[in-house]
Amino acid sequence: MAVTTMDPESARTSQPQGSLGKSGGSLLSGRGLVAALTPRGKHYACGSIAAFTNIMVTFPIQKVLFRQQLHGVRAREAVGQLQRDGMRNLYRGLLPPLLQKTTTVAIMFGLYEDFSHVLLDQVSTGSGIPELVTRSFAAALAGTAEAALMPFERVQTLLQDHRHHGRFHNTAHTFRTLLSEYGVKECYRGLVPVLIRNGPSNMLFFGFRGPIKEQLPEASSRAGHLVNDFVCGGVLGAALGIMFYPLNVVKSRAQSQVGGAFRPCGEVLMMVWRERGGSVAMLFRGAHLNYHRSLLSWGIINATYELLLKVF
């Protein structure tokens, strides 16, 4: 029997519904606005709101983690760097991840649903291809599509790196400088590790989300479902964060450079490896914080996403 990667509640929201024209008056409310979307369109809106909630809560943690990935320092030293930068710079670089994450998480959930429906209707029917395989391919496609918004990650990296504080003032100025002085290609520096990370991580996230939740105690209330969704998303996010951590280190190092040659992913990894004395522990410096951040982030995203699907 094929393992479905959607919760029953998620599957319910994806079924065709009646005409939306009868509820025009409700469009004045937030709930009406979401309801005005197509059934699968709600997955985009709910994913975007979930990502917004997560970024606002976890951005300072991400900034500490970024400094560890970039410089290989301990958490205390990374926190000290932020303290020296001052409170006015604590949320410096917030706009790029806010724009990127609200869009990419919307794409992640929305395109996954859309690709799944298209592939299940057009490919799997009568073909004998297991549903799990089809949904895994849909997840990989959605992850690859997310990479189109990688320039936001690129700008976030430059704004968070204290070595560039004097050169790049804000999101708009950074984009303008990169495009005018280096061209569009510079905005996609570090694309390869992002592509390697996104597809497989999406496949594993959607592939195990349903089975993990099935192993948790059965919830009998909305609060119980919220806790289960938080645990499910958090455990998956934390595990995937550790699994793909070296790729994020490579991405951060590659994207901290402005101008010059584009080094292959493997070359950047070896450069970091040599700089950190060939130590696996140093390569994974910051992974423990990334684990806790991912646990919190993906717990918030998954729980908020599933809650919004039920509410709207």
Side-chain angles (χ1 to χ4, degrees), residues 4-20:
T4 179
T5 57
M6 288 199 304
D7 295 329
E9 293 85 354
S10 299
R12 172 176 53 79
T13 62
S14 299
Q15 299 304 316
Q17 299 178 1
S19 172
L20 296 170

Side-chain angles (χ1 to χ4, degrees), residues 17 74 179 186 195 212 218 251 271 286:
Q17 299 178 1
R74 295 183 181 276
L179 291 172
E186 185 68 29
L195 287 172
I212 288 178
E218 185 175 355
K251 176 189 73 71
M271 179 176 65

Side-chain angles (χ1 to χ4, degrees), residues 208-227:
F208 285 100
R209 193 168 61 132
I212 288 178
K213 187 173 181 179
E214 290 175 1
Q215 300 305 312
L216 298 175
E218 185 175 355
S220 57
S221 64
R222 177 169 290 181
H225 281 291
L226 191 66
V227 170

Side-chain angles (χ1 to χ4, degrees), residues 196-258:
I196 297 174
R197 176 196 68 189
N198 282 10
S201 63
N202 267 19
M203 291 172 63
L204 293 170
F205 181 83
F206 286 112
F208 285 100
R209 193 168 61 132
I212 288 178
K213 187 173 181 179
E214 290 175 1
Q215 300 305 312
L216 298 175
E218 185 175 355
S220 57
S221 64
R222 177 169 290 181
H225 281 291
L226 191 66
V227 170
N228 281 357
D229 289 327
F230 181 91
V231 171
C232 175
V235 168
L236 270 172
L240 294 174
I242 293 295
M243 186 181 303
F244 293 98
Y245 190 78
L247 285 173
N248 285 324
V249 172
V250 171
K251 176 189 73 71
S252 294
R253 173 55 64 88
Q255 291 184 345
S256 66
Q257 177 184 340
V258 180

Side-chain angles (χ1 to χ4, degrees), residues 101-164:
K101 273 296 183 182
T102 54
T103 307
T104 56
V105 175
I107 289 174
M108 173 182 170
F109 285 105
L111 282 185
Y112 168 71
E113 293 294 332
D114 285 346
F115 284 142
S116 292
H117 280 78
V118 170
L119 293 174
L120 288 171
D121 290 343
Q122 303 298 326
V123 178
S124 293
T125 304
S127 66
I129 300 176
E131 180 181 345
L132 180 60
V133 174
T134 303
R135 288 190 178 277
S136 295
F137 186 58
L141 288 175
T144 302
E146 290 177 50
L149 296 171
M150 198 207 77
F152 288 111
E153 280 191 72
R154 172 79 167 114
V155 171
Q156 177 189 357
T157 297
L158 295 175
L159 289 176
Q160 288 184 346
D161 187 349
H162 64 92
R163 296 173 300 182
H164 297 297

